[in-house]
Amino acid sequence: MPLPFLTAQPDGDTATPTKKTAADTIAALLASEDLYEDHRRWRRPYHPGPLRVGSAALLLLLAAYLLVSGVIIAAAGALPGAGVCFAIAAVLITVAVRTVRTGIWVSPQGLRQRRVLRGVTLPWAEVAEVRTVQQPVRVVGTPRTAQGQALVVRRTDGTALPVLVTDRSADFVGRPQAFAMAADAVEERVAEFTA
């Protein structure tokens, strides 16, 4: 959809060249970059997969049922039982949010690997390399392993972080192209920040 108010030329006059105006500069900025994106924030260079989002949605649904039952129990006068329902719902909501936030995050400060219960943050000076390797990987977090690809983060001291992003993880199971694009995006960001 054309937006004639962003240009200095009227609708019918396209032949006469005009000087670059502030509206043209704003239009060029809007076309070239996202003005609302803060590049200093921590961000995951890929989207969470449908299995991860679906499991978090189920946890939130269960938490909603517990919250409703807690309100009903509180209205009936059994406050200790309502407190237990509210506490379990709060734990389920926390686990659901942390499940969705699991993955590799990058920012100008460094690389962060988030898991459900803990995380590791490395400044860029401590990151030696990030690359994709073929190795046995766990299937969707279960003890069962299969041959697959993993995104490995190595520190400068030679140790590696635990493998979190694989083509069989909850984000990428059954989506090999999405894993390849995510691994490329992470490696691009690492190359951008370590250069």
Side-chain angles (χ1 to χ4, degrees), residues 5-47:
F5 58 87
L6 289 179
T7 63
Q9 299 173 344
D11 283 337
D13 186 18
T14 58
T16 60
T18 61
K19 290 177 23 179
K20 192 170 189 175
T21 63
D24 292 333
T25 305
I26 291 172
L29 281 173
L30 288 173
S32 66
E33 65 179 280
D34 186 5
L35 295 178
Y36 301 108
E37 182 178 0
D38 185 7
H39 295 284
R40 295 169 297 178
R41 290 181 41 219
W42 288 96
R43 55 180 55 260
R44 181 176 31 206
Y46 58 91
H47 298 291

Side-chain angles (χ1 to χ4, degrees), residues 58-108:
L58 286 176
L59 287 173
L60 290 175
L61 182 65
L62 183 58
Y65 283 128
L66 283 170
L67 288 172
V68 169
S69 65
V71 169
I72 292 170
I73 292 171
L79 293 180
V84 169
C85 286
F86 291 142
I88 294 172
V91 168
L92 288 177
I93 291 169
T94 303
V95 169
V97 169
R98 292 190 65 93
T99 298
V100 171
R101 295 180 63 87
T102 298
I104 292 182
W105 296 69
V106 294
S107 82

